Each structure stands twice: as structure tokens, then as C-alpha cells.
Amino acid sequence: MEWLSHYWWVIVLVLLLGIFLNVIKDLKRIDPKKYMANKPDLPPHRDFNHKWDDEDDFPKKKP
């Protein structure tokens, strides 16, 4: 087990390499043109930001 204390970084590099290769493999499966063609619509906002600007806070110009 002494080798483990000296070469722990090799195990970490192998794990990171495996994760990196899996990410690349999954990203190759994505077809951006197909996604853009079938992109879901965004849901409406539920925070009522559009109602905040109903009243005019600026003073009116006097003619």
C-alpha cells in the first residue's frame, strides 16, 4: 500500500481522463440543428415584472 501513497495522483488522472472522455462522447451525440428545430417554448414569467412599470414616476412636462 506504500505505492498508493506515492502514486495517488495517477489514479486521479485516470479518473479525470475517464470523465473527460465520457463528456466528449456525450457531446458528440448532441445534434444542435435538431434541438433548435424542436426547441420548447419558454414558460411565461411569474414574477409580475411587467406590472411594475405601469405607473409613470417621471414628472410630466408642462407645455
Side-chain angles (χ1 to χ4, degrees):
M1 291 303 279
E2 187 176 329
W3 65 272
L4 186 61
S5 64
H6 292 295
Y7 297 108
W8 61 269
W9 54 272
V10 175
I11 297 171
V12 172
L13 285 178
V14 169
L15 288 174
L16 288 176
L17 182 64
I19 291 170
F20 187 68
L21 289 176
N22 280 332
V23 167
I24 289 175
K25 187 170 62 173
D26 287 341
L27 285 175
K28 282 186 176 182
R29 282 193 237 161
I30 296 174
D31 185 15
K33 291 181 182 177
K34 184 178 178 182
Y35 174 78
M36 291 303 285
N38 298 324
K39 186 171 63 170
D41 293 334
L42 290 175
H45 295 289
R46 297 186 182 135
D47 56 0
F48 301 113
N49 280 340
H50 66 283
K51 292 183 179 179
W52 289 0
D53 203 21
D54 284 346
E55 56 192 43
D56 192 10
D57 294 335
F58 295 108
K60 302 242 185 232
K61 289 184 179 178
K62 296 181 182 177

